[in-house]
Amino acid sequence: MSSELFFTQSKLRELYLNFFESKGHLKLESFSLIPDYHDKSLLLINAGMAPLKKYFSGQEKPPSFRVTTCQKCVRTNDIENVGKTSRHATFFEMLGNFSFGDYFKDKAINWAWEFVTQILNLPKEKLFVTVYKDDDEAFEIWQKNIDAKKIFKMDKEDNFWEIGEGPCGPCSEIYFDRGEKFGCGEKNCGPGCDCDRFIEIWNLVFTQFNKNPDGSYSKLKQKNIDTGMGLERISVVMQNVNSIFEIDTMREIINKIADGAKINYGESEKKDIAIRIIADHIKAAVFMIADDIFISNEGRGYILRRLIRRALCRIKILNIEKKNFLAELIELVVKIFGDYYKNLADKKDEIAKIILDEEKKFNDVILGGLNIFMDLIEKTKEQGKNIISGKEAFKLHDTFGFNMDLMKEFASENEVMIDEKEFEIELEKQKERARKSQVNKNENGFLIEVQEEIKKLDATEFIGYENFEIGDAKIVMLIENDIGIKNEIRNEEQEFYIIFDKTIFFAEESGQISDSGILKTETGEAKIIDCKKIFGDKYIHKAKLISGFIKLEQTGNLKLDFEKRFCIARNHTATHLLHKILREKIFDETKQMGSYIDENYFRFDFLCKKVLSEKDLELIENELNKKIFESLEVKTEKKEINEAIDSGATALFDEKYRDIVRVVKIGNYSQELCSGTHVKNTAQINCFKIISESGVSAGIRRIEAVTGPKAIDFCNKRQKEILEACVLLKADKNNFLHKLKSFIDNDKKNKNKIARLENILSSEMAKKICDKCELINNMNFVFDSFDDFDLKFLRDVADKIKNKLKKCVVVLVNKNENKINLIFSRTDDLDLNANEIIKNLAYKFGGNGGGRKNYAQLGGINLNDLNLVVSEIKNVLLG
């Protein structure tokens, strides 16, 4: 292709969106990577049509029946191939034009052909098309644009789009022929071949059928168009490059990484793969954080953490030690994409903080694992071997998450190898253990046959919002966890599971713990310990038999622990007030990021860009207690989800809601979607007290608080502690603070005096110890021992000795009871590894130790071994 046809990625995005705007489409901004609140099927937006499913399904009316977008997407199902192939990426942009019951195949096909041939000016001889083999309509439309010989009919698995039951239909793909040099050389090479010659640039999906539960297809009343053109893929074609990593935007990031690694991209495939992984993953992480995805150990947050850590592994492999390198990469990604995606620039500082905090945590983990791995290398060499045990390497991988690529890199540097076959065997054993542990159980820990029986049960009727005791709960299933379904439970103190046809026990949900209470039947009594909801609508109660026996089909009396329920309700209603106050008084963009609510206290995690001051906390407490004193009525009602959102109800972060939701309204002040239990009036909360405020991770703060009697108990305890402190300080409540300040000032003065005296003492000791110096192998060796001195003082003495003597090794010991703590320090003009010496001593004499090359500590050695330890050090110095 001519260089005149070169288009930047940004220009291609603009051309596409403008073209479809000219065809009557409404141009929408990219939706967030977090799916809409009603979409329970996705963790992350992974296709252009994903945020528009509500319009395709008819759940909501679209803002226009013709829409065009450039949608941010993240896919991690092929993460292991990222960087290894020319087309796999975790983050990508998907161009799309959509019709919701408006135009259909004719316009979709003709506009696609117009765009690629007249706007992009792609040579027609290089374009090919595929259609579903039974889609004669699409075939005939394409024949008006392209020779029939270049239209390929494909089987259902290639050109028919469906995901289970629901809307589906045939699709048609446009391919670009990149030439024989990209091909596999096979005679039947063509569109759909796995090689890189024919690249799919556009997929047109004609949604015209509904797949029924019995597998049959019926025609849809509303036919839709869903198209997707990968922006990176079309950029590859228009820029005439070999892969998505060579297009203009990615090449800029690639070059930055190569410069940081001080290598030329293209010289080593192994290093090129590492560079590509870093470029892709950092870009994905920047976009995810900009859309308010935060690092965690599950869900979207886990995916984010994994991407960042995979990138950091490769940075280690490339030995990039440039200061602030990761920050520079983040800055570059924001610079490249910030003009179109404005939120990147707005949240640049927050993005950098989160990623750099994760880098620090990761480095701490890697450095811990690296020290152990280096010891493993040393032991392997000492045994005269050059292959590290795969079992030992796997332990390191399993314990520290130490990446195999990193282990191989460090092993190679130290001229050893890893028994990868043995490693894979251990990895497979672990997978097999995991499979076996789950083969007969579901995610709730029940046997599969039990799981199937539970699914057959009718939904449990929950009547616990207003009822605290009922006498007609029928037992429909009894389960003994590792045995299965039982007809009766007879062993006292035995724990078991029970399902009723109806229940008053709230199941653990949305941070609120479950209720507990008592079950009584005509034959026995059991304590209800816990309650969880499984399979959406089955309430399963964990119980312990107190007396008698419990039988299947019995009708029993259920009674809540009302005091516990009421305390939980106080705390839960307080979280709603707290959420509102935080948005209103502290940070208007705050979001609830998680919570835990029990009868004793609650914790509330929220998005916030600043550390809360004492003044902020005082304001929050005062405002919340004010709402308590206003005696606001707390009402609940059920609404259709869209109606609830439109009325102003707050939908909480990461929650999955049903079509009909419960709205909790506190006066005219707060309105949230919530299934939890609440008080009837804010006055019932009684009072509110914050007990702590802290940071959870970058951008997320946590408040822990108590309400009601617990808040009074907390304040009384603090008052008692103040009175006890007054006694110790010999002060009364009126001059307590003055006396405390005076005490602190005196303590500070005394510490300064002690420090000056210790400095004089350490100088005098250093002089005396130098007089004991002996020469070993042309090195000055100094040794002395002390009773009950701290290591900080010994280090100060050692430093002063080293200032006086050249080529000096200082060994100082502190004796405490029957154990010794030893420091080994040497001057910088000696080539001795203090860390190795101390680790060997620890290995021979017990205890533990380690440090740096010029300084290390040894602790926990028996006093009786002191002379042997010193002799061993001298032998090392003698060589």
Side-chain angles (χ1 to χ4, degrees):
M1 287 171 58
S2 167
S3 60
E4 294 177 3
L5 296 179
F6 181 93
F7 289 120
T8 64
Q9 187 173 335
S10 177
K11 183 64 177 176
L12 285 166
R13 187 193 297 120
E14 178 189 343
L15 286 171
Y16 185 92
L17 296 175
N18 289 346
F19 175 80
F20 280 100
E21 260 196 315
S22 74
K23 303 297 184 185
H25 291 65
L26 174 66
K27 180 171 69 175
L28 295 179
E29 297 293 325
S30 174
F31 292 84
S32 168
L33 285 166
I34 300 176
D36 208 345
Y37 60 86
H38 64 261
D39 190 346
K40 304 173 179 65
S41 63
L42 295 174
L43 269 180
L44 292 160
I45 294 299
N46 62 1
M49 64 78 64
L52 307 172
K53 284 195 287 187
K54 55 192 174 185
Y55 304 139
F56 283 112
S57 66
Q59 186 177 359
E60 289 186 24
K61 184 179 178 180
S64 169
F65 291 105
R66 296 181 181 182
V67 164
T68 185
T69 63
C70 179
Q71 176 61 43
K72 301 172 285 188
C73 301
V74 169
R75 290 182 191 170
T76 56
N77 51 313
D78 288 322
I79 194 170
E80 299 301 333
N81 289 322
V82 172
K84 297 177 182 177
T85 73
S86 64
R87 57 186 180 272
H88 281 97
T90 53
F91 177 87
F92 59 95
E93 296 174 75
M94 185 62 74
L95 300 166
N97 58 285
F98 310 94
S99 167
F100 311 109
D102 186 41
Y103 63 85
F104 201 47
K105 294 181 186 177
D106 188 64
K107 282 187 170 63
I109 289 172
N110 289 328
W111 285 340
W113 188 251
E114 181 183 348
F115 182 75
V116 296
T117 59
Q118 296 182 34
I119 304 301
L120 298 185
N121 292 315
L122 288 174
K124 293 180 182 179
E125 66 271 14
K126 289 184 172 290
L127 295 173
F128 294 79
V129 169
T130 64
V131 296
Y132 175 49
K133 64 180 181 180
D134 295 335
D135 192 358
D136 296 331
E137 182 185 2
F139 188 87
E140 289 175 11
I141 297 170
W142 273 117
Q143 279 192 96
K144 298 173 185 176
N145 296 293
I146 190 171
D147 191 323
K149 293 179 181 178
K150 300 180 76 178
I151 306 172
F152 293 77
K153 291 188 175 184
M154 309 294 278
D155 291 332
K156 187 175 180 180
E157 58 266 26
D158 295 312
N159 276 63
F160 193 95
W161 182 87
E162 63 180 359
I163 305 178
E165 298 172 17
C168 58
C171 56
S172 180
E173 298 165 327
I174 302 175
Y175 284 82
F176 181 81
D177 181 3
R178 303 171 72 198
E180 291 182 5
K181 67 177 181 177
F182 291 97
C184 57
E186 298 292 331
K187 289 183 180 180
N188 60 349
C189 182
C193 182
D194 289 335
C195 71
D196 291 332
R197 175 174 177 175
F198 294 90
I199 181 171
E200 177 205 326
I201 59 173
W202 207 341
N203 188 14
L204 316 176
V205 179
F206 312 124
T207 310
Q208 63 189 90
F209 300 113
N210 187 75
K211 187 175 183 182
N212 303 312
D214 62 1
S216 63
Y217 296 91
S218 54
K219 290 185 178 180
L220 287 173
K221 291 180 181 178
Q222 175 183 299
K223 296 178 180 179
N224 304 313
I225 289 294
D226 160 24
T227 79
M229 174 186 277
L231 180 54
E232 289 80 6
R233 283 200 183 187
I234 193 62
S235 297
V236 168
V237 172
M238 297 309 299
Q239 296 176 21
N240 197 23
V241 293
N242 294 333
S243 81
I244 59 172
F245 295 98
E246 295 178 18
I247 62 177
D248 60 314
T249 51
M250 287 300 286
R251 191 64 201 228
E252 199 170 344
I253 303 170
I254 292 283
N255 289 342
K256 182 79 174 178
I257 298 167
D259 288 345
K262 298 178 182 177
I263 59 177
N264 294 319
Y265 181 75
E267 289 185 356
S268 163
E269 179 61 13
K270 182 180 177 182
K271 291 181 178 179
D272 288 351
I273 289 172
I275 290 172
R276 292 193 287 263
I277 289 171
I278 297 167
D280 171 85
H281 288 7
I282 288 300
K283 183 172 75 165
V286 167
F287 274 90
M288 290 172 75
I289 296 169
D291 279 352
D292 292 336
I293 295 170
F294 295 89
I295 290 169
S296 70
N297 289 324
E298 59 185 13
R300 288 185 277 271
Y302 173 74
I303 292 172
L304 174 60
R305 167 167 276 158
R306 186 183 180 200
L307 290 173
I308 295 172
R309 291 198 166 192
R310 276 174 59 87
L312 291 171
C313 268
R314 273 63 190 186
I315 288 173
K316 287 283 184 187
I317 286 171
L318 293 174
N319 294 317
I320 299 174
E321 296 179 354
K322 186 179 180 183
K323 193 176 180 182
N324 299 324
F325 178 70
L326 203 52
E328 290 178 14
L329 281 186
I330 296 164
E331 181 86 28
L332 180 58
V333 172
V334 172
K335 172 179 162 286
I336 293 170
F337 295 97
D339 286 343
Y340 186 74
Y341 296 103
K342 305 296 185 186
N343 64 334
L344 297 186
D346 294 341
K347 296 188 175 181
K348 183 177 67 175
D349 293 342
E350 184 179 340
I351 294 166
K353 186 176 189 319
I354 289 172
I355 294 179
L356 295 176
D357 281 354
E358 183 63 17
E359 179 185 32
K360 183 179 183 304
K361 291 176 186 175
F362 179 69
N363 284 342
D364 290 343
V365 172
I366 284 297
L367 291 176
L370 181 57
N371 287 335
I372 295 173
F373 186 62
M374 297 309 288
D375 286 345
L376 186 57
I377 290 174
E378 204 60 42
K379 286 179 183 176
T380 302
K381 286 184 173 181
E382 286 174 2
Q383 293 169 1
K385 301 176 182 177
N386 67 345
I387 299 178
I388 293 173
S389 159
K391 287 184 179 180
E392 293 295 328
F394 177 77
K395 284 180 187 176
L396 194 60
H397 163 79
D398 198 36
T399 305
F400 287 91
F402 205 48
N403 186 278
M404 173 55 101
D405 290 339
L406 273 177
M407 286 194 282
K408 285 166 67 175
E409 189 74 18
F410 293 131
S412 176
E413 288 176 6
N414 289 273
E415 298 178 341
V416 295
M417 297 181 294
I418 298 170
D419 188 337
E420 292 185 56
K421 187 175 180 181
E422 190 177 50
F423 180 93
E424 290 298 327
I425 290 171
E426 292 301 310
L427 183 61
E428 190 54 42
K429 283 181 182 177
Q430 185 195 55
K431 289 179 180 178
E432 184 61 27
R433 285 193 296 269
R435 282 194 290 267
K436 284 182 178 179
S437 70
Q438 292 301 319
V439 70
N440 289 320
K441 294 185 179 182
N442 70 347
E443 67 274 15
N444 302 295
F446 297 114
L447 299 170
I448 283 190
E449 53 265 33
V450 174
Q451 166 189 325
E452 294 304 316
E453 292 302 313
I454 293 173
K455 286 180 180 178
K456 294 176 185 177
L457 296 175
D458 291 335
T460 309
E461 182 185 3
F462 177 69
I463 54 173
Y465 288 127
E466 301 297 335
N467 297 285
F468 308 127
E469 182 173 5
I470 58 172
D472 60 343
K474 183 180 179 182
I475 298 172
V476 296
M477 189 174 286
L478 292 168
I479 307 165
E480 207 171 321
N481 199 12
D482 291 326
I483 296 175
I485 296 171
K486 303 275 287 185
N487 288 322
E488 58 182 45
I489 301 292
R490 286 185 171 270
N491 296 330
E492 288 189 14
E493 296 300 309
Q494 179 183 352
E495 289 190 354
F496 61 100
Y497 294 89
I498 185 167
I499 301 176
F500 304 98
D501 64 338
K502 66 184 73 170
T503 187
I504 57 173
F505 295 99
F506 181 84
E508 180 182 332
E509 188 173 12
S510 302
Q512 178 178 328
I513 68 165
S514 72
D515 288 322
S516 56
I518 295 292
L519 159 68
K520 287 184 179 180
T521 72
E522 61 182 12
T523 61
E525 183 176 342
K527 182 178 181 181
I528 304 296
I529 302 167
D530 192 11
C531 182
K532 285 184 169 58
K533 230 188 312 188
I534 62 174
F535 306 127
D537 55 11
K538 314 294 191 300
Y539 283 65
I540 186 158
H541 306 72
K542 187 176 183 180
K544 179 184 282 189
L545 191 64
I546 298 173
S547 62
F549 62 93
I550 304 291
K551 289 181 66 176
L552 191 65
E553 301 292 329
Q554 280 185 324
T555 297
N557 179 274
L558 299 180
K559 186 176 181 180
L560 279 179
D561 179 339
F562 179 75
E563 185 178 349
K564 177 183 176 183
R565 160 73 77 91
F566 192 44
C567 290
I568 292 171
R570 280 194 187 104
N571 287 336
H572 202 150
T573 306
T575 65
H576 285 223
L577 292 171
L578 176 59
H579 194 190
K580 179 70 174 180
I581 290 166
L582 287 168
R583 289 200 308 273
E584 200 174 59
K585 302 291 184 181
I586 304 297
F587 179 48
D588 59 4
E589 294 181 22
T590 198
K591 295 178 185 178
Q592 180 177 338
M593 304 302 290
S595 66
Y596 172 80
I597 304 159
D598 67 18
E599 70 271 33
N600 297 311
Y601 88 115
F602 73 83
R603 64 172 182 256
F604 187 85
D605 297 344
F606 57 99
L607 177 65
C608 190
K609 292 183 177 178
K610 68 170 187 174
V611 176
L612 300 190
S613 65
E614 287 297 323
K615 189 175 180 181
D616 290 329
L617 297 177
E618 186 179 348
L619 172 64
I620 292 167
E621 276 191 359
N622 289 340
E623 285 294 319
L624 205 148
N625 281 309
K626 182 180 175 184
K627 295 303 173 187
I628 292 172
F629 302 149
E630 287 176 6
S631 300
L632 301 176
E633 187 177 7
V634 182
K635 289 183 176 180
T636 60
E637 58 182 331
K638 290 184 178 180
K639 288 185 178 182
E640 196 272 329
I641 178 68
N642 293 324
E643 179 191 355
I645 297 295
D646 291 341
S647 70
T650 302
L652 301 187
F653 175 82
D654 237 11
E655 281 293 309
K656 299 297 184 183
Y657 296 104
R658 296 187 176 188
D659 294 336
I660 302 299
V661 294
R662 186 167 178 264
V663 181
V664 177
K665 190 175 181 181
I666 305 176
N668 293 319
Y669 184 66
S670 166
Q671 191 177 188
E672 288 191 9
L673 307 187
C674 180
S675 61
T677 58
H678 293 271
V679 295
K680 298 293 184 185
N681 188 292
T682 58
Q684 292 179 313
I685 300 173
N686 188 258
C687 59
F688 167 84
K689 181 68 182 174
I690 294 173
I691 57 176
S692 74
E693 190 276 338
S694 59
V696 178
S697 60
I700 300 179
R701 309 295 300 173
R702 170 175 291 172
I703 283 177
E704 295 185 347
V706 286
T707 63
K710 297 292 182 184
I712 296 171
D713 290 346
F714 178 83
C715 293
N716 287 339
K717 183 181 177 184
R718 287 289 177 267
Q719 178 69 13
K720 184 180 178 183
E721 289 170 348
I722 289 172
L723 291 174
E724 289 174 355
C726 287
V727 173
L728 293 172
L729 290 169
K730 297 179 181 178
D732 58 43
K733 287 185 288 186
N734 296 322
N735 71 345
F736 167 69
L737 290 177
H738 174 76
K739 197 74 178 276
L740 179 61
K741 184 177 183 301
S742 175
F743 180 84
I744 292 171
D745 289 342
N746 287 333
D747 182 62
K748 188 176 180 181
K749 290 176 184 176
N750 289 334
K751 283 180 178 177
N752 289 335
K753 287 179 182 177
I754 291 169
R756 288 196 297 271
L757 291 171
E758 283 185 342
N759 186 45
I760 294 169
L761 180 61
S762 62
S763 296
E764 289 299 316
M765 283 187 167
K767 286 180 185 177
K768 291 182 179 179
I769 295 171
C770 283
D771 294 338
K772 302 178 183 179
C773 174
E774 58 180 300
L775 199 64
I776 299 177
N777 199 13
N778 204 30
M779 288 179 279
N780 290 306
F781 176 70
V782 174
F783 167 75
D784 209 337
S785 63
F786 307 86
D787 292 319
D788 296 323
F789 276 88
D790 61 42
L791 291 177
K792 181 178 178 297
F793 180 77
L794 296 189
R795 284 197 299 269
D796 188 35
V797 173
D799 288 341
K800 285 173 178 172
I801 292 171
K802 290 191 296 181
N803 287 334
K804 295 177 180 294
L805 299 172
K806 292 182 179 180
K807 290 189 175 181
C808 179
V809 172
V810 182
V811 176
L812 301 179
V813 170
N814 179 61
K815 292 178 286 185
N816 189 351
E817 294 181 354
N818 198 38
K819 295 288 183 181
I820 63 171
N821 287 301
L822 175 149
I823 68 169
F824 181 106
S825 187
R826 53 100 171 150
T827 51
D828 292 336
D829 51 7
L830 291 177
D831 187 20
L832 292 172
N833 192 323
N835 179 51
E836 287 184 0
I837 293 169
I838 289 300
K839 279 187 174 294
N840 286 332
L841 288 172
Y843 179 77
K844 288 185 177 181
F845 295 97
N848 52 74
R852 304 183 301 274
K853 286 186 177 181
N854 62 348
Y855 174 86
Q857 295 176 187
L858 178 66
I861 303 297
N862 286 325
L863 186 60
N864 294 335
D865 292 328
L866 179 57
N867 292 333
L868 293 174
V869 170
V870 175
S871 296
E872 185 68 25
I873 292 173
K874 288 182 177 181
N875 288 336
V876 171
L877 299 184
L878 286 168

